[in-house]
Amino acid sequence: MTTLAELRRRAAATPDDPDLLAELAADSRVGAQALLDHLHHRADVVREATVALRYRSRYERELWARYPHIAGIDEVGRGPLAGPVVTCAVILPTDFALPVNDSKQLSAHQRAQLYPQIISQALAVALGVADNHMIDRENIYHATELAMAQAVTALRVPADFLLVDAMHIPVAIPQRKLIKGDANSISIAAASIVAKVTRDRLMQMYDHRYPGYDFADNMGYGTKRHLAGLAELGISPIHRLSFSPVKAAGIAHGQL
């Protein structure tokens, strides 16, 4: 009889081998049945991931024949009181198969793992940034549109169609606005992950430069510790003056 160690070795090498599955099904040992259950569960997970990827790539698959270079665009950072809005545009190849999803649905560890894989597999990736001064000057919505346009025009491979998460980009390229696009398009999802990782790293850097606001944890959002820092320290050079809690803190500290 084949040893359990040998069965596990074969399972690690070819988990979907039908001969192995049949042998395990006929093996009454507890260890063999546990391995069979594990392989069935693994196969279910792979099938579910394949179905999910196909669903989230439906817009790309509909358009690829006509538009081979589809850029997905997303933003991170519209809501915080401090720091920039970071946008990203990503053009994916037609054989892209990474399990991307809305960056908010992924853990920091998952985003960190996917980030370099997206960068290496994408046909093109580009960022756009609207800093706090642009946000104050243009308003948050228009500043985000301008940053998205920056990202699109910076792509080393020109995009011939855009998929955008719930916004319109002021560029002369055909585009489709998708509601919850980062959960419905692999291109937008990939862009959301790159933008999120980039902005998080930037805010962690700002936390060292402007301590006291807990930027490394709150990423500039108005958490209790952030508001306490504003009350104690006043505003920093990266705070958005057009956001009311920041303006109130600046007035209180005589900075405005």
Side-chain angles (χ1 to χ4, degrees):
M1 179 177 289
T2 307
T3 66
L4 290 174
E6 174 62 16
L7 290 172
R8 293 189 186 99
R9 186 195 64 76
R10 288 168 57 191
T14 54
D16 56 352
D17 178 5
D19 291 336
L20 171 63
L21 296 175
E23 186 174 346
L24 287 171
D27 192 327
S28 61
R29 288 176 293 177
V30 173
Q33 291 304 301
L35 180 57
L36 181 63
D37 288 343
H38 169 74
L39 293 178
H40 283 324
H41 175 72
R42 182 186 181 280
D44 289 343
V45 170
V46 170
R47 277 193 295 271
E48 289 172 5
T50 300
V51 170
L53 180 67
R54 184 166 180 79
Y55 177 77
R56 286 196 292 273
S57 64
R58 65 194 184 281
Y59 292 107
E60 285 85 356
R61 288 185 288 104
E62 173 191 334
L63 294 163
W64 265 326
R66 185 176 177 189
Y67 302 103
H69 296 145
I70 300 167
I73 302 96
D74 203 4
E75 55 76 24
V76 174
R78 285 173 63 184
L81 305 179
V85 167
V86 174
T87 66
C88 182
V90 175
I91 299 177
L92 298 177
T94 56
D95 61 352
F96 184 82
L98 291 176
V100 294
N101 197 355
D102 173 6
S103 64
K104 296 184 290 297
Q105 302 301 316
L106 302 172
S107 68
H109 177 69
Q110 289 172 316
R111 292 193 296 268
Q113 286 187 312
L114 286 167
Y115 175 88
Q117 298 179 74
I118 294 168
I119 298 295
S120 65
Q121 294 187 28
L123 300 179
V125 179
L127 296 170
V129 177
D131 66 13
N132 55 309
H133 303 296
M134 180 186 288
I135 291 167
D136 290 336
R137 183 175 66 250
E138 301 290 344
N139 77 53
I140 184 62
Y141 189 86
H142 187 50
T144 301
E145 289 179 322
L146 295 176
M148 286 182 163
Q150 286 177 24
V152 170
T153 56
L155 286 165
R156 65 180 182 84
V157 176
D160 44 31
F161 197 92
L162 310 179
L163 293 174
V164 193
D165 188 19
M167 296 190 73
H168 177 81
I169 302 178
V171 293
I173 301 173
Q175 57 192 273
R176 180 180 294 180
K177 177 167 46 176
L178 301 180
I179 303 302
K180 296 185 178 179
D182 44 11
N184 286 287
S185 158
I186 56 171
S187 301
I188 297 176
S192 77
I193 292 167
V194 174
K196 173 65 173 168
V197 172
T198 300
R199 189 179 187 279
D200 284 358
R201 291 176 179 175
L202 187 60
M203 294 307 296
Q204 288 160 4
M205 179 195 73
Y206 279 135
D207 187 57
H208 293 288
R209 188 167 183 179
Y210 306 114
Y213 303 98
D214 196 33
F215 287 149
D217 288 327
N218 59 46
M219 304 305 166
Y221 284 89
T223 62
K224 184 176 180 179
R225 291 183 65 182
H226 187 176
L227 294 176
L230 274 173
E232 179 183 354
L233 303 170
I235 57 179
S236 76
I238 65 166
H239 275 100
R240 303 173 182 180
L241 304 183
S242 54
F243 283 44
S244 55
V246 177
K247 185 175 183 179
I251 292 173
H253 281 263
Q255 296 170 291
L256 298 177

